[in-house]
Amino acid sequence: MYRHIIMLLLCLPMSAIGQSTATAQISSFDISDPIRESSKKIWVYLPMGYENSNKKYPVLYMHDAQNLFDNSTAYAGEWNVDETLDSLKLDVIVIGIEHGNEKRIDELTPFPNEKYGGGQADPYLDFIVQTLKPHVDKNYRTKQNRKNTMIMGSSLGGLVSYYALLRHPTIFGKAGVFSPSLWFSDEIFQLTERTKKINANIYLLAGDSESENLVAELNRLHAMLIGKSATVHCTIIKDGKHNEKLWRESFAHAVQWLMSAKN
């Protein structure tokens, strides 16, 4: 029942609820996706002091941009990413990628599910790597190597963030994997098993009230990663539910851990 409800929610379009809460650090642009022959809206967070410095910054790519910065575009409350980073005074650029509404399941799932379809994460990640990242690196002062290129998301976004490390290990060195939909296909575990070494920093997070299987699935993945040389931080939040509140309240610790990780 839990999974059916979540998948129905994932298919719903975002609806405006209230006035914009995005801070002055937020801007946006549209970019063509030649692989999927479409256009994507991209949200950009620039750290405080960016305009008055010549520094280069690490970059965090995040999925579901509608939910990250602005309550007026969020489905069930935003993550407060901009306010959090402002308060922490972290030197990081965040690139938020809007999901494709009815295409979200396709974009964020590496392998198809018998009931829900999907399995088109490869072209989505190719767009990030081949089109979006070069544009970001050209137009913003970025640190371009893998140890300064992070990716983060929740639910299906957590799943695809983890998959990005496996498919593009020379691009992404760090990932925030919140409440990943590991149930969508067991092939993600099979791919992990086949991968000889995963030289990455990974922040795993789940709430113990999300579903009856998620904690066990996350612990299974955690154990596999330890055997693959990954550096992993795994957090299980007591009474945590599958929602924006859990991810919003966990974001600050996760991004600080990822930025300080040295692997």
Side-chain angles (χ1 to χ4, degrees):
M1 176 64 71
Y2 159 80
R3 291 176 177 173
H4 289 218
I5 293 173
I6 292 299
M7 293 309 299
L8 287 173
L9 290 175
L10 295 178
C11 293
L12 291 175
M14 293 295 152
S15 57
I17 48 175
Q19 296 181 339
S20 173
T21 57
T23 67
Q25 305 304 116
I26 300 298
S27 61
S28 65
F29 63 87
D30 292 325
I31 186 170
S32 295
D33 177 356
I35 296 172
R36 298 176 67 89
E37 297 182 345
S38 61
S39 179
K40 279 285 189 185
K41 181 177 179 180
I42 308 299
W43 298 55
V44 181
Y45 168 86
L46 296 178
M48 298 177 70
Y50 178 91
E51 298 296 340
N52 298 318
S53 78
N54 294 314
K55 293 170 55 176
K56 293 185 177 181
Y57 297 84
V59 181
L60 172 61
Y61 290 87
M62 299 184 71
H63 316 288
D64 298 324
Q66 295 97 322
N67 294 342
L68 302 178
F69 310 105
D70 194 340
N71 205 50
S72 70
T73 60
Y75 173 72
E78 59 156 314
W79 284 36
N80 297 125
V81 167
D82 44 347
E83 292 91 346
T84 299
L85 294 177
D86 283 354
S87 67
L88 294 173
K89 296 181 171 58
L90 285 185
D91 287 338
V92 60
I93 294 171
V94 178
I95 302 298
I97 307 156
E98 285 205 353
H99 65 69
N101 291 305
E102 70 280 358
K103 297 179 180 179
R104 181 178 187 268
I105 293 176
D106 286 341
E107 292 176 343
L108 302 185
T109 53
F111 307 104
N113 176 280
E114 183 177 348
K115 181 175 183 179
Y116 298 111
Q120 297 298 311
D122 284 354
Y124 172 72
L125 291 176
D126 288 345
F127 157 72
I128 296 175
V129 169
Q130 299 174 18
T131 301
L132 180 58
K133 186 178 187 298
H135 177 89
V136 170
D137 290 340
K138 178 180 178 180
N139 289 279
Y140 301 94
R141 298 193 308 275
T142 64
K143 295 181 178 179
Q144 301 177 20
N145 57 13
R146 65 182 300 276
K147 71 178 182 179
N148 287 294
T149 304
M150 303 169 281
I151 190 164
M152 178 184 287
S154 63
S155 194
L156 294 180
L159 175 64
V160 78
S161 294
Y162 171 62
Y163 178 66
L165 295 178
L166 305 183
R167 190 167 194 276
H168 296 285
T170 64
I171 302 296
F172 301 106
K174 303 177 180 181
V177 180
F178 286 9
S179 308
S181 301
L182 299 170
W183 61 267
F184 199 84
S185 172
D186 195 64
E187 288 189 57
I188 193 65
F189 291 105
Q190 297 173 31
L191 177 60
T192 301
E193 186 62 38
R194 293 195 303 270
T195 304
K196 292 182 179 181
K197 187 174 182 179
I198 302 173
N199 182 27
N201 298 280
I202 307 171
Y203 190 104
L204 299 176
L205 173 94
D208 66 4
S209 295
E210 294 196 55
S211 76
E212 60 184 26
N213 297 319
L214 178 55
V215 171
E217 291 168 338
L218 202 72
N219 286 335
R220 177 187 175 190
L221 180 63
H222 185 193
M224 295 175 73
L225 289 170
I226 295 302
K228 301 289 184 178
S229 302
T231 300
V232 185
H233 179 102
C234 187
T235 297
I236 306 299
I237 304 297
K238 180 176 174 54
D239 300 324
K241 296 179 171 59
H242 195 88
N243 56 30
E244 254 54 47
K245 179 178 183 293
L246 173 67
W247 307 323
R248 176 173 60 247
E249 293 177 352
S250 304
F251 174 72
H253 187 264
V255 71
Q256 289 179 97
W257 184 86
L258 288 172
M259 289 188 64
S260 64
K262 302 299 183 183
N263 191 6

